[in-house]
Structures are given as C-alpha cells and as structure tokens.
Amino acid sequence: MTGAKDVPPIHGSAARAVAELLGSARLMALGVNRPDGWPQVTTVGYVNDGLALYFVIARDSQKFANLQVDPRASAAIRPEGAEADTVGVSIAGRVTEVTDPAEVERLNRMVFARYPEACAFCPGGASVAVMRLTPEIIAPVAVIGGRSRAQTYTLGEGGAPPEADPGAGRGVSALF
C-alpha cells in the first residue's frame, strides 16, 4: 500500500479535468462506514462545484447515521453510457452537512441550471440533509485497451489543489 507521503498533490490541470468529468455525470456510488465495520454503498445523485460533491440524504437513513459517527466516505463516478476506453474517478474524503441557507440556495441554483427538471436540494424541513463531500484523495481511473489504470493524487489544505498547472487543457485522458 502506498503511503500518503508517496502520493503527489493534484495539479491545476488534473483538478480541472476531474471537475469536468464530475460535471458530466449524475450519479455516484457512495461508500460509508457502518458501526459494525462493514462498508455501506448506495447510489445517490449529486452536483459538483469544482471537486466538491453535494448530495441530499434522508435524516432518518442509515447513511446519515453512519456519517454522524464516521464522516469518512468514498465515491466512485463514471459518466453514464461510458464504454470501452473510458475514464472514471474514485474520491475519498470527509462529509459534512451544509446548514447555511445561502449556501443551500446557491446549490439549488446550480442544480436548476444543470437539471431544469429536478429539485434535488429543495428545502425539506427536518427530513433531509444537504451534504458536502470534500475530497482528500482523488484517483482518476481509465480503462484503456481493456485494462484499468489509476493515477492517485492528494489535495491541499481544505481540499484545494495547488496552483501549479502543467499541461493545462489536456483533459482527463492526458493523466494516463
């Protein structure tokens, strides 16, 4: 297993390429830790703002209870209908609840712009929670010639990528 010190920080062009990939998909497999140690994975809809992922879950769900005990989570995302030589991303980070009404409204505007038919983050009183997954480790994964390849990156303090920008604009496939 590779230690965190062996994993390079994500650079600007990689961060933009991953954010573009995140913006091209609608669903993620979200894995959280259950109290008994077994992982729980479910599929949820999301919207991204850069590398941050936002989703809604029911407050009375097992997923919400699990995240209250252990905020660590992983997500796997692959664009819908992707075939053959394709790219996806695996993200590990921590989940926090978004409670600021102005932030929820900003997220609503993002959802409405991306999915005019949806109202995913509409206020639901005490029944739903808007959650943010802030990445700490990002691993774009490509299937090239039938074989998977991954490049793992860490993020800077607070989930922000460093400013370095080698190879800007080359897309996710250039990471492999």
Side-chain angles (χ1 to χ4, degrees), residues 8-119:
I10 196 166
H11 52 80
S13 62
R16 278 192 296 284
V18 170
E20 182 180 319
L21 182 142
L22 295 174
S24 70
R26 289 179 168 230
L27 299 174
M28 69 176 168
L30 179 68
V32 299
N33 298 307
R34 293 181 354 175
D36 61 8
W38 285 93
Q40 176 193 17
V41 179
T42 54
T43 302
V44 296
Y46 75 93
V47 67
N48 70 299
D49 185 8
L51 301 177
L53 303 173
Y54 296 88
F55 56 97
V56 173
I57 56 176
R59 288 185 176 284
D60 63 356
S61 69
Q62 183 64 49
K63 191 169 27 266
F64 185 77
N66 293 343
L67 288 168
Q68 297 308 298
V69 174
D70 185 349
R72 294 175 302 158
S74 290
I77 298 166
R78 179 177 171 190
E80 299 165 31
E83 298 178 17
D85 294 351
T86 186
V87 177
V89 66
S90 174
I91 296 174
R94 297 185 191 274
V95 176
T96 55
E97 184 173 0
V98 178
T99 57
D100 177 26
E103 179 74 353
V104 172
E105 180 55 34
R106 183 183 76 80
L107 294 170
N108 273 329
R109 288 191 302 272
M110 289 173 57
V111 170
F112 296 146
R114 184 168 173 189
Y115 310 113
E117 74 285 358
C119 6

